[in-house]
Structures are given as structure tokens and as C-alpha cells.
Amino acid sequence: MPKIAGVNLLGALLGGVAIYFVGFIWYGILFTEPWMQSNGMFYGDEAKTTLQWLTADGLQTVDNSGQPEPMVLLWGFVISIVLSLGLGWLIQKSGAKTHTGAIVLAVGVGVLVGLPLMAYDPVYTPFGTLTGLLVDGGHVLVSFVAGAAVLSFFD
């Protein structure tokens, strides 16, 4: 299988799928309401077809039948693949040879890089909350572990 920067491309793609799937479960099923509330987002109607959120310009409203736009989903997947490539590169550079080694590395990167990046929002913006940090930070950790676990099956 071809490699880029020493990372197996099939492994990076499947790792990206795992990261994306974790995001779907995390934000789409498990923590939808707490995440939306922590980001000032809410549905404007009972059918959940109108999404509203607070911005610096006031209340914004989008009528999207409760579905995310296709480009949002596409860019989310691209981000997942880039994260997977980055994790694969770190795993390869660290010399982690086992599943456990790859997962430990992912936890370390999540705690030392991912969580601090997520903490900027609650520290610097009036809209950031501890709940949002917990939801987003948890997502970073779980998705990094899932991606690393998949990547660890590829050389």
C-alpha cells in the first residue's frame, strides 16, 4: 500500500473514518444537547428544522430541516483524515510498535496538545463554557484513541 510521510494511506483513510464516526456518535447522538447549549445554539421550533445561535451580530437563524450542510460534513471528513495522517506520522516517528503504544501516544497527544487547544474557547470567549470544554475535550481524546487504534494495524 502506498505511503505518505511514512504513513500507510489505507490506514490513514480508515483512521479518518474512525475519527469521523466517533464525532458522529459524540456530537450527533451522545452529547448533542449539552454541546449545543454550551455553544449558544438551539432549535427554533419543535420539529428541529430551524437552528438558531448567538453571534456577535445577534441571533442567527438557519432553516436547514435539522440537517447539516453537505459541505460541512465533507470538510469534517477532510479534517478527520488530516488528523489521522498526523497521528500516523507521530506513531511512525515515535517508533510505537504495539497497539498499546499507539494508544498511549494518542492519549498523550490528546492531553498535551488537543485539550489545551480546546481550552482557548472557554478562556478567551464569552461563549465558552466548562461543559463545552468537557464535550469537545472528551471528543478529542476518544477520537485520537480510535484513530490510533485503527492506525496501529497498519505498518
Side-chain angles (χ1 to χ4, degrees), residues 8-105:
N8 183 298
L9 288 179
L10 179 60
L13 178 64
L14 293 176
V17 169
I19 290 169
Y20 192 77
F21 184 71
V22 166
F24 167 74
I25 298 295
W26 201 263
Y27 292 107
I29 297 173
L30 297 177
F31 300 107
T32 305
E33 294 300 321
W35 181 80
M36 286 179 63
Q37 290 173 0
S38 70
N39 285 285
M41 301 169 77
F42 53 93
Y43 291 112
D45 57 358
E46 281 191 36
K48 297 183 177 182
T49 60
T50 304
L51 184 62
Q52 297 180 317
W53 66 97
L54 300 173
T55 70
D57 296 326
L59 188 65
Q60 301 293 315
T61 302
V62 172
D63 181 15
N64 64 353
S65 301
Q67 301 299 317
E69 296 207 17
M71 288 307 293
V72 170
L73 298 174
L74 175 64
W75 282 114
F77 186 64
V78 169
I79 291 167
S80 297
I81 291 174
V82 171
L83 283 170
S84 181
L85 278 167
L87 279 171
W89 183 79
L90 289 170
I91 291 167
Q92 188 262 340
K93 288 295 181 188
S94 75
K97 301 289 184 198
T98 65
H99 302 300
T100 303
I103 290 170
V104 167
L105 177 77

